[in-house]
Amino acid sequence: MKPTECTTILVGKKASIDGSTMIARSEDGGREIIPESFKVVHPADQPRHYKSVITGCEVDLPEEPMRYTSAPDASGKQGIWAAAGINEVNVAMTATETITTNARIQGVDPLLVNAGLGEEDFVTLTLPYIHTAREGVTRVGHLLEKYGTYEMNGMAFADHDEIWYLETIGGHHWAARRIPDDAYVVAPNRLNIDEFDFDSPDFMASADLQELINTYHLNPDFEGYNFRHIFGSATIKDTHYNNPRAWYVHHYFDPESTTTPLDQDQPFITYANRKISVDDIMFLMASHYQNTPYDAYGDQGTPAEKKRFRPIGINRNFETHVLQIRNDVPTGLAGVQWLGFGPNTFNAMVPFYTNITDTPASFRDTGAKFNLHSIFWLNKLMSQLGDTNFKLYGELEDAFEQKTVAGCYQIQHATDQEAQALQGAALQAALTTANQKMADLTFANTVELLGAMVDEGHSHMQLKYDLLD
């Protein structure tokens, strides 16, 4: 089974700088490199009968799917793993964030063994059929109740108005919360939903979940329902692997925050001291505790401190996305899938339009083996070279990222203006062309950066003997 350990960031429309909803996630893996790609799935290509590769679970699907974008595994050997995308009515979905559980709920509703659905399946089974974020919650809830799951997962849905975050609970149960419009969320690899109100329309859950909690005495609190306390974990691993990531994001958006890296009760719903941009999310998804003793590349901490906490930006980032539904442009231009491949310390995220017919070959045709025509493999190569001497190569990367993102912004702004009056096939063609321009720009800048790194690193090799030595 493919290991997946990610970080999710959600931003409500009143918390964002431009009024858009944004749901973001880094798709992380394990020791094995997992190449990723970017594709459009047309209705004719969507299966009508689905069978999971991992468990063999079979699902009959509706007859009229919508077109949607996806970021699937390039090899497909363990299934599709579509990961994230935006469909033709501008509903976004990202799935999934691997989360934690505890023995109390597993004793009541155990995870399935060699059966049910998981991260491999959820986007393919959901995104082509939903017209709102709320519909995404109800469809996944139905799938969980009918087929069950073998793992604990969190997932998010967004439309132009709402963001919902859902977490699986045991083998067949689930809960979800609407994110307030003026709030943001950071969700690392633990059960994240805390305070839950069964009587509010901003919360949804399995019909019998409250009864299950009460019947089996699962609630450790004297008052209310805190789902992290009821269904989640508070382990030593959480204090080193999960909680510090939330702490770093909270302090980035509010330096006056009083939380510490070890806090088990990092708040789920949080508020920034300013409006949040895509650039903020890109920085955080690449972050490694800069300006703290815990930065592996920094000069403040001891060797032990530098390895104490798992960062968000890590060698195991294989694909990262920000799914943005914009409210300041016509509907046909609203969906943008920002996409970056490989470790976020050495890549640039590209704002691809999703109302398109195809994706650029450098992002689409990744291939399971290393090749120099794929942006995924170029980014992976750069990150591994950059990791050998971050102080030497870091400034080159910063300049590359700013240059690339600025260039993509310029293409996006021009396209937004030029495509205002276009509709239908003409609009899709224009946006597909704009995506190709951004991909070409990114590829050229990536090759240029790689060359600059080679030039800069030449004189710093250990195996050298200059005439003046």
Side-chain angles (χ1 to χ4, degrees):
M1 187 182 302
K2 170 185 171 182
T4 49
E5 299 176 336
C6 316
T7 307
T8 294
I9 297 177
L10 316 173
V11 181
K13 62 183 181 181
K14 292 182 180 179
S16 67
I17 198 169
D18 62 353
S20 63
T21 58
M22 295 187 286
I23 59 176
R25 184 171 61 90
S26 65
E27 187 180 8
D28 307 339
R31 295 181 179 227
E32 177 187 358
I33 297 174
I34 303 172
E36 307 291 345
S37 60
F38 178 43
K39 295 184 178 180
V40 177
V41 182
H42 294 277
D45 301 322
Q46 175 72 2
R48 299 314 193 261
H49 180 81
Y50 179 88
K51 184 176 181 179
S52 168
V53 171
I54 291 176
T55 65
C57 183
E58 299 189 43
V59 181
D60 286 324
L61 296 174
E63 286 297 321
E64 297 184 0
M66 289 180 282
R67 185 195 72 250
Y68 63 103
T69 56
S70 67
D73 286 6
S75 71
K77 65 181 181 180
Q78 290 186 311
I80 298 173
W81 297 78
I86 300 174
N87 69 22
E88 65 183 70
V89 293
N90 291 326
V91 177
M93 177 181 180
T94 180
T96 67
E97 179 80 28
T98 304
I99 60 173
T100 55
T101 184
N102 63 50
R104 293 192 304 277
I105 181 60
Q106 289 303 308
V108 174
D109 182 16
L111 294 171
L112 279 60
V113 178
N114 299 322
L117 303 172
E119 181 171 352
E120 172 198 348
D121 316 299
F122 284 119
V123 170
T124 301
L125 299 181
T126 304
L127 188 55
Y129 311 105
I130 57 176
H131 296 81
T132 65
R134 188 181 292 260
E135 278 187 22
V137 173
T138 57
R139 176 156 179 82
V140 169
H142 164 74
L143 292 170
L144 289 168
E145 292 168 8
K146 183 174 182 178
Y147 299 100
T149 184
Y150 51 87
E151 59 189 8
M152 291 286 292
N153 284 317
M155 58 196 82
F157 310 87
D159 53 37
H160 73 95
D161 190 41
E162 294 187 339
I163 295 175
W164 283 82
Y165 179 73
L166 178 149
E167 293 185 316
T168 62
I169 297 171
H172 289 89
H173 288 83
W174 58 275
R177 178 170 184 177
R178 184 181 187 272
I179 308 307
D181 294 340
D182 59 346
Y184 79 91
V185 163
V186 54
N189 299 122
R190 62 174 297 177
L191 196 139
N192 291 282
I193 296 175
D194 48 22
E195 301 301 327
F196 197 89
D197 185 353
F198 282 100
D199 297 321
S200 169
D202 290 335
F203 298 78
M204 290 192 284
S206 306
D208 65 337
L209 191 61
Q210 187 173 20
E211 179 183 0
L212 180 144
I213 294 170
N214 297 333
T215 298
Y216 291 95
H217 312 293
L218 300 179
N219 190 356
D221 296 331
F222 290 109
E223 295 182 359
Y225 293 91
N226 183 315
F227 277 12
R228 192 181 303 162
H229 296 168
I230 296 170
F231 301 118
S233 64
T235 65
I236 297 300
K237 178 180 177 180
D238 287 324
T239 64
H240 292 269
Y241 197 84
N242 294 319
N243 305 342
R245 282 182 275 163
W247 162 81
Y248 190 77
V249 174
H250 293 158
H251 279 259
Y252 175 83
F253 284 129
D254 181 9
E256 302 301 317
S257 173
T258 58
T259 61
T260 70
L262 300 181
D263 282 351
Q264 295 284 20
D265 281 323
Q266 302 278 352
F268 178 61
I269 301 298
T270 41
Y271 301 87
N273 66 359
R274 60 189 183 277
K275 294 182 178 180
I276 298 172
S277 68
V278 175
D279 303 74
D280 289 319
I281 299 176
M282 288 191 288
F283 169 80
L284 290 168
M285 286 301 193
S287 65
H288 37 89
Y289 302 116
Q290 290 94 315
N291 293 326
T292 78
Y294 314 118
D295 182 1
Y297 293 140
D299 55 10
Q300 294 187 32
T302 66
E305 286 176 319
K306 292 181 178 184
K307 292 293 185 181
R308 189 176 185 188
F309 300 136
R310 182 241 143 118
I312 297 176
I314 199 169
N315 67 314
R316 296 183 283 107
N317 302 140
F318 293 134
E319 175 268 321
T320 302
H321 50 267
V322 182
L323 307 179
Q324 182 182 26
I325 309 298
R326 301 185 294 169
N327 283 309
D328 59 347
V329 294
T331 300
L333 298 166
V336 176
Q337 184 161 351
W338 291 80
L339 191 62
F341 286 155
N344 293 320
T345 47
F346 274 86
N347 68 11
M349 297 188 71
V350 183
F352 290 121
Y353 293 97
T354 57
N355 183 16
I356 52 175
T357 56
D358 201 359
T359 54
S362 59
F363 282 79
R364 182 191 64 223
D365 302 332
T366 298
K369 299 295 183 181
F370 180 86
N371 73 85
L372 292 174
H373 302 290
S374 161
I375 196 71
F376 174 90
W377 289 109
L378 283 181
N379 286 344
K380 195 72 181 74
L381 173 62
M382 281 195 312
S383 65
Q384 290 184 214
L385 176 58
D387 184 73
T388 64
N389 192 332
F390 188 79
K391 288 186 176 180
L392 178 65
Y393 299 122
E395 289 189 10
L396 292 174
E397 194 283 332
D398 288 343
F400 150 78
E401 185 173 1
Q402 186 172 80
K403 175 183 176 180
T404 302
V405 174
C408 288
Y409 270 133
Q410 292 168 19
I411 294 171
Q412 184 186 59
H413 293 327
T415 304
D416 283 349
Q417 291 297 318
E418 295 165 1
Q420 289 276 331
L422 299 179
Q423 294 182 344
L427 176 58
Q428 288 184 331
L431 300 186
T432 301
T433 298
N435 282 359
Q436 187 65 56
K437 291 179 182 178
M438 290 189 282
D440 291 344
L441 170 73
T442 302
F443 192 91
N445 287 354
T446 301
V447 172
E448 181 181 49
L449 171 59
L450 187 58
M453 292 171 72
V454 171
D455 289 342
E456 190 70 21
H458 168 69
S459 61
H460 291 269
M461 292 178 65
Q462 294 186 56
L463 188 63
K464 64 177 182 178
Y465 195 95
D466 295 335
L467 292 175
L468 298 180
D469 283 353

